[in-house]
Amino acid sequence: MKYHFLGTFGALATVIGIAATTVRADVSFSIPSGADSGQESPPSTAGSTPNQANRNLQSTRTPAMNSSELTTYNLVNRYRQSRNLPPLVADPAISAQAKAHSEEMARSSTMSHDGFNQRADSVSKTIVYRSAAENVAFNAGHGQPELVAVKGWIASPGHQRNMRGQYDLTGIGVAQNAKGEYYFTQIFIRKAWYVKDAD
């Protein structure tokens, strides 16, 4: 499911764009190609112990964020807390995927969700999850690009749904290109309450 909103606001040099997508994983621990069932499968606990599940649910290290990423992360969590939702925990594996996508968008000057299934698949190699979603944004000509991106997400039903979703983990990547355009990617992950059996 995709939501797109592109437009210009204010001066001609001031632009903003946002887009969101959501995909749900099935109990086979992967995202079916092009799937968006709209319903979640009940979690399975087969083959896992409480200790295994707990290890799976914990983020082990704090990701290194640049100042734009940290500001965006804090703004999103403040918004969630204003809606009585728990803050999202930043995860380095998810952030690495978000950062790589933002850098690619900045290089091509194109905002998109291209490769989202691959990013989610990469995350699934270290985190067993139930659902994943992504918000992206770009803007230029703003003094506070992070605030503009997050306000744009809040003002859009699809993006806001991702921000308010039942997610636990997040990764944020922000990149700026030579044109002064900022590109944002935020990936949302809802962890599964089971672990993948070893092959």
Side-chain angles (χ1 to χ4, degrees):
M1 187 179 302
K2 288 187 179 180
Y3 303 87
H4 291 281
F5 175 79
L6 299 172
T8 58
F9 296 84
L12 291 177
T14 303
V15 295
I16 180 172
I18 54 178
T21 190
T22 305
V23 175
R24 285 176 170 44
D26 67 9
V27 293
S28 68
F29 311 102
S30 63
I31 296 179
S33 179
D36 186 3
S37 67
Q39 296 180 347
E40 293 185 10
S41 301
S44 168
T45 56
S48 66
T49 66
N51 285 340
Q52 287 174 318
N54 286 339
R55 279 198 302 273
N56 179 57
L57 295 173
Q58 294 172 354
S59 179
T60 56
R61 22 184 231 288
T62 302
M65 292 187 185
N66 65 34
S67 62
S68 288
E69 291 160 350
L70 185 59
T71 298
T72 305
Y73 172 70
N74 288 333
L75 286 169
V76 170
N77 271 340
R78 275 189 221 145
Y79 172 72
R80 282 179 61 88
Q81 289 174 320
S82 76
R83 297 298 182 264
N84 297 315
L85 296 167
L88 299 167
V89 175
D91 182 90
I94 305 168
S95 291
Q97 294 299 316
K99 181 72 169 185
H101 184 55
S102 289
E103 289 172 349
E104 176 56 33
M105 290 192 296
R107 274 192 296 274
S108 64
S109 292
T110 304
M111 185 185 70
S112 77
H113 289 292
D114 292 350
F116 174 59
N117 284 348
Q118 289 83 0
R119 286 188 290 285
D121 187 54
S122 292
V123 168
S124 75
K125 292 174 182 172
T126 56
I127 301 167
V128 179
Y129 71 88
R130 179 173 195 147
S131 58
E134 179 178 84
N135 283 354
V136 299
F138 82 94
N139 63 63
H142 295 280
Q144 295 179 292
E146 305 85 5
L147 184 61
V148 170
V150 173
K151 281 186 171 181
W153 288 338
I154 292 169
S156 168
H159 304 84
Q160 188 186 116
R161 184 164 37 253
N162 286 346
M163 292 173 70
R164 295 177 68 166
Q166 295 181 10
Y167 298 105
D168 317 289
L169 301 177
T170 193
I172 297 176
V174 180
Q176 184 182 22
N177 63 20
K179 300 176 187 177
E181 298 168 332
Y182 285 84
Y183 287 82
F184 298 78
T185 303
Q186 181 167 18
I187 298 172
F188 303 86
I189 295 291
R190 182 180 181 188
K191 296 173 293 190
W193 291 95
Y194 49 84
V195 296
K196 185 175 181 179
D197 291 334
D199 293 332

